[in-house]
Amino acid sequence: MTTVLPVRPGAATELPPGADERSSAGRRAGRAAQLLGRLVVRAVPWLVRGAMVAAVLIFAVLALGPHLLGYRTMTMLTASMAPEIDPGDVTVVTPISVSEVTEGMVIAYHKPIDDRSLVTHRVVSVEKTNGTVTVQTKGDANDAIDPWTATLEGDTAYEVRAVIPELGHLIQALRAPVVTEVLLYGAPTLLVGWVLLTIWRPTPTEDDEEQS
């Protein structure tokens, strides 16, 4: 026997329909992906432009400048002149007359011993006799004066005028075979991609304007 209980009016209230959390989360994820896509599309051209500008500047400093302005660039290999010039820094040197070399200058010259490698040190003493200029030098970070006296050959010496920090590390990295291959094929690809993005840049639709 089944008993039916009477239901009084108003005893039960209708529950509101449950929200679909999965649908809401999907919409949020879609908006986030759309926003991320827009940021990437906008950032890529600026990244390409920045890389191109940096490449042009480096090329101008290292390749064009020495021919047009007469300076030379050299990469510091040791820490003998730290902290003014650290390993990996690039020095910019300009020619001066040998007779103008004075104490306190930082000059680049070939040391007169061993393999006659290039050294960049500060002049601590100068001696001029019969048109010959001999110098003694010292690295700022070294405790002692260099154990040689160098005769500056020819009529020109090279004085350090500027230091470009860390550029030497970038130059060494660019000389690596793997990086060379990447630049050889990657740079044209980036350039083509930048041109295509510039030509076919997406325009905002009405729906995008309403959502924003």
Side-chain angles (χ1 to χ4, degrees), residues 157-168:
Y158 288 89
E159 181 184 6
V160 175
R161 297 289 189 176
V163 179
I164 307 176
E166 304 296 335
L167 182 58

Side-chain angles (χ1 to χ4, degrees), residues 190-203:
L190 287 176
L191 180 59
V192 171
W194 175 45
V195 172
L196 293 178
L197 285 173
T198 302
I199 296 174
W200 292 309
R201 180 177 298 171
T203 57

Side-chain angles (χ1 to χ4, degrees), residues 113 136-137 144-149:
I113 61 173
Q136 282 190 304
T137 57
I145 295 174
D146 296 328
W148 60 74
T149 299

Side-chain angles (χ1 to χ4, degrees), residues 42-56 190 194 197-198 201:
R42 293 179 182 178
V44 167
W46 288 105
L47 291 175
V48 174
R49 289 171 189 155
M52 293 179 64
V53 169
V56 170
L190 287 176
W194 175 45
L197 285 173
T198 302
R201 180 177 298 171

Side-chain angles (χ1 to χ4, degrees), residues 81 84-85 93 102 104-108 120-123 140 158-161:
M81 285 296 294
E84 183 174 341
I85 310 174
V93 300
T102 59
M105 283 184 176
V106 178
I107 63 172
T120 301
H121 279 177
R122 191 178 303 278
V123 177
D140 289 353
Y158 288 89
E159 181 184 6
V160 175
R161 297 289 189 176

Side-chain angles (χ1 to χ4, degrees), residues 14 19 48 53 65 110 163 173 181 209:
E14 185 178 356
V48 174
V53 169
H110 292 278
V163 179
E181 292 293 328
E209 292 177 355

